[in-house]
Amino acid sequence: MTWIYCAISFGAAPPSARFLCGAGARRLQFCIAALLMAGLGATASAKESYKFDPSGSTIGFSVHQFLGTTRGKFTNFSGTIEVDREHPENSSVTAQIDVRSIDTRIKKRDDHLRSAEFFNVEKFPRMTFKTRTVKRTGPQSGDILGDLTMHGVTKPITLHVKLLTPINETGRTRWSVTTDPITRRDFNLMFPPAAESVSGISQTVAINIEIEAKRAE
């Protein structure tokens, strides 16, 4: 193995503070570049990546209809949480939801929601969320402003997140997520006028999310 000894002399520094460089300026440049790359690598590794675990997570919703409340969820989704502990504002979340996986426990209703009259999953199969900015609001909480794309429409929303379970020895963590109710009209999620007028379905939809995530390998 060939060892490279870098020599940089600063003023009248004692010999113990000098590094002997027998290869001249080119090796000196190489050493500086290597040190810079090492520094960049250390900075990059400060971010921790976590993947959603659907088996322990819930992406749910509820909406008033007449005097009752209809509840449902999406069962197929994925996402990544990038955590920067030293600079939380550099953290981020991305998520994708398979709209076909909607489940309100009534198959006929789910099929209708998937149809061209509402979600139109053939044309718009996925919802997505992508972070714009992150703001820390407490020791274990924060606000994530991002873009929600649904039914071909993109709107900004703010997710209020709270850490429920700190990272444990298995590399898992759990978060609760709330947001202001979503208005169906904003995303063109409207039934035909005749059906809408007699449906009794509220324009606002409440969101209920808990995410369990596992540190990426």
Side-chain angles (χ1 to χ4, degrees):
M1 177 180 293
T2 301
W3 293 90
I4 300 176
Y5 294 90
C6 293
I8 306 177
S9 177
F10 296 95
S16 60
R18 298 179 184 179
F19 300 85
L20 298 179
C21 183
R26 283 182 297 178
R27 287 191 178 180
L28 173 60
Q29 291 171 352
F30 173 83
C31 293
I32 293 173
L35 287 170
L36 288 173
M37 291 299 293
L40 290 173
T43 300
S45 65
K47 260 189 183 178
E48 301 169 8
S49 183
Y50 296 82
K51 299 292 186 182
F52 289 12
D53 181 357
S55 67
S57 304
T58 301
I59 296 182
F61 61 88
S62 61
V63 58
H64 291 297
Q65 184 174 19
F66 295 114
L67 298 178
T69 300
T70 297
R71 304 181 191 280
K73 62 183 178 179
F74 295 92
T75 59
N76 189 8
F77 51 86
S78 62
T80 302
I81 304 169
E82 299 285 348
V83 178
D84 189 328
R85 294 175 183 269
E86 294 184 2
H87 303 283
E89 67 277 8
N90 293 333
S91 300
S92 65
V93 176
T94 57
Q96 304 81 38
I97 301 172
D98 180 1
V99 183
R100 294 177 188 272
S101 69
I102 191 169
D103 180 8
T104 65
R105 297 186 179 182
I106 298 177
K107 184 179 184 303
K108 186 176 180 180
R109 177 167 60 199
D110 293 343
D111 288 342
H112 188 201
L113 291 172
R114 295 183 187 109
S115 75
E117 285 195 351
F118 200 72
F119 277 119
N120 194 357
V121 297
E122 294 298 329
K123 186 175 181 180
F124 307 110
R126 285 178 296 279
M127 298 181 207
T128 63
F129 177 84
K130 185 176 181 180
T131 298
R132 286 190 192 179
T133 62
V134 175
K135 178 182 178 182
R136 188 170 186 173
T137 59
Q140 306 291 345
S141 63
D143 286 347
I144 302 174
L145 172 64
D147 291 321
L148 174 65
T149 299
M150 177 168 55
H151 200 238
V153 178
T154 299
K155 295 283 185 180
I157 67 166
T158 299
L159 305 179
H160 310 294
V161 300
K162 183 177 181 180
L163 180 64
L164 298 178
T165 306
I167 300 164
N168 57 33
E169 64 276 4
T170 65
R172 290 183 174 271
T173 184
R174 191 171 188 85
W175 304 78
S176 71
V177 183
T178 60
T179 186
D180 292 338
I182 291 174
T183 302
R184 293 194 290 120
R185 188 183 293 109
D186 289 347
F187 293 90
N188 296 328
L189 288 172
M190 303 287 291
F191 293 107
E196 190 71 46
S197 63
V198 298
S199 69
I201 300 174
S202 172
Q203 276 292 318
T204 57
V205 181
I207 307 301
N208 172 36
I209 299 174
E210 281 198 13
I211 296 297
E212 182 173 314
K214 183 177 182 181
R215 187 161 186 173
E217 298 296 335

